[in-house]
Amino acid sequence: MNADPKSTSIMTDGMLVTCRIRQGNLWRLCAGGTLLLAVLASLAAAAVPSRAQDMPSSPSFVDDFKSFDRTRWFVSDGWTNGKHQNCTWSKGLVGLSDGMLTLGFEKRKLKDREFACGEIQTRKRFGYGVYEARMKTDTGSGLNAAFFSYIGPADKQPWDEIDFEVLTRDTSKVQVNTYISGKPKNEKLADVEGGTDKGFNDYGFVWEKDRLRFYVNGKLVQEVTNPAELPTHPQKIFFSLWGSDTLTNWMGPFSDPGRKVTMQVDRVAFTALGQPCQFPESLACSIK
């Protein structure tokens, strides 16, 4: 499950890129000139994160799920996240339908669980920036439909996490939350006008070095500025739909829905800090 180590790329203008990539005698051509100095400066800047980011990160992207990019996404399959989870991750419950990602939850015995469920995660890790997803949930007590970022012991890192979780027993709200070194912080229930199950809603968070902001349909619903409650490690992006028999105080008592429950994702995007917004509806276009 570990992502490949991040490789730093250099941002240069067209002339520098052409010279650097296509000319085998770059250093001879550039030696003694201003172009060499520019290349050396770019190499030096690439050796450490930029001041705006101050954290390693994979590049910005937008995925509208017109197709499934297996170079971007890893599909969880054949295990659970612990005793609290009453379903086994199954690649058979991850698919594309009507141009959208669909995750499912259904009664199907897999290994030692009576139910099967779906999850995907990025192969790469992302740092400071704007994270956003447009999605629609189903209903059902004891189920959790989530869009979040996470890194932890499986990747030989401390447990940091930033969450949007819809506990589908109550689709009028979404829970925002963070984990710092495995400890929950900043939990809050935010209203979702019209409900998470009646239509698609936009969920986004803006992660900066000195603050973290959560948005629902473009409205700010939570802001964190306490340095001790801000994640500090690059994370993978996840979508998951799962159930629990034991977390009743949080997710409600589980009952077999008697049907396949689904979660649909229309779009997901990450925009690195300082980069232009990537589509007109993006949160990155309107916030400071």
Side-chain angles (χ1 to χ4, degrees):
M1 291 173 58
N2 290 352
D4 294 334
K6 175 184 175 288
S7 58
T8 306
S9 59
I10 306 170
M11 297 298 294
T12 60
D13 61 33
M15 178 175 64
L16 284 176
V17 169
T18 301
C19 180
R20 176 175 177 261
I21 295 176
R22 297 184 182 176
Q23 300 294 331
N25 56 348
L26 169 68
W27 299 108
R28 183 180 65 82
L29 286 174
C30 298
T34 57
L35 188 55
L36 173 60
L37 296 177
V39 170
L40 290 174
S42 295
L43 287 169
V48 296
S50 68
R51 187 169 65 86
Q53 285 287 93
D54 203 22
M55 179 187 289
S57 178
S58 296
S60 303
F61 76 90
V62 179
D63 197 333
D64 57 8
F65 295 110
K66 295 295 189 292
S67 61
F68 193 78
D69 186 349
R70 294 190 177 273
T71 66
R72 173 174 291 138
W73 298 105
F74 177 89
V75 180
S76 301
D77 185 59
W79 73 88
T80 71
N81 285 5
K83 293 181 180 180
H84 64 280
Q85 186 175 320
N86 69 1
C87 57
T88 301
W89 300 126
S90 171
K91 62 183 179 182
L93 286 170
V94 176
L96 298 183
S97 177
D98 299 324
M100 298 179 192
L101 171 73
T102 299
L103 303 181
F105 178 97
E106 67 180 9
K107 191 165 188 177
R108 185 203 304 172
K109 186 172 178 59
L110 283 179
K111 297 190 174 181
D112 62 343
R113 302 294 198 270
E114 296 297 322
F115 295 87
C117 48
E119 177 185 73
I120 66 170
Q121 56 183 279
T122 56
R123 296 181 182 273
K124 296 182 179 180
R125 307 174 192 184
F126 300 85
Y128 298 136
V130 181
Y131 296 68
E132 48 195 326
R134 182 169 177 80
M135 66 187 201
K136 179 182 178 182
T137 77
D138 211 322
T139 61
S141 184
L143 299 176
N144 186 324
F147 157 54
F148 62 102
S149 63
Y150 166 83
I151 202 70
D155 295 287
K156 300 180 180 178
Q157 295 289 318
W159 177 358
D160 274 6
E161 186 172 340
I162 306 172
D163 296 330
F164 278 100
E165 295 176 290
V166 177
L167 310 177
T168 56
R169 64 173 175 167
D170 180 2
T171 57
S172 70
K173 300 182 185 300
V174 62
Q175 180 178 292
V176 299
N177 198 19
T178 61
Y179 282 80
I180 310 299
S181 297
K183 297 181 179 179
K185 309 285 184 180
N186 311 301
E187 180 181 318
K188 180 180 180 179
L189 286 173
D191 292 333
V192 181
E193 187 175 353
T196 68
D197 61 320
K198 303 303 183 185
F200 283 86
N201 292 278
D202 295 301
Y203 306 92
F205 61 86
V206 183
W207 180 20
E208 301 169 275
K209 185 176 181 179
D210 57 356
R211 65 175 171 172
L212 175 64
R213 291 173 284 170
F214 292 88
Y215 292 82
V216 176
N217 292 323
K219 179 182 177 181
L220 180 67
V221 297
Q222 175 76 308
E223 183 171 11
V224 181
T225 56
N226 182 346
E229 298 180 353
L230 293 170
T232 54
H233 298 83
Q235 301 175 35
K236 299 177 183 179
I237 299 170
F238 288 72
F239 291 96
S240 65
L241 175 62
W242 58 281
S244 175
D245 296 318
T246 60
L247 301 177
T248 55
N249 288 340
W250 180 43
M251 294 169 56
F254 176 81
S255 60
D256 182 354
R259 61 181 177 88
K260 182 178 181 179
V261 175
T262 61
M263 166 185 175
Q264 293 178 298
V265 183
D266 183 38
R267 179 180 58 229
V268 59
F270 167 74
T271 306
L273 291 184
Q275 297 297 307
C277 63
Q278 303 179 85
F279 53 97
E281 303 84 5
S282 174
L283 186 62
C285 299
S286 58
I287 61 164
K288 294 182 179 179

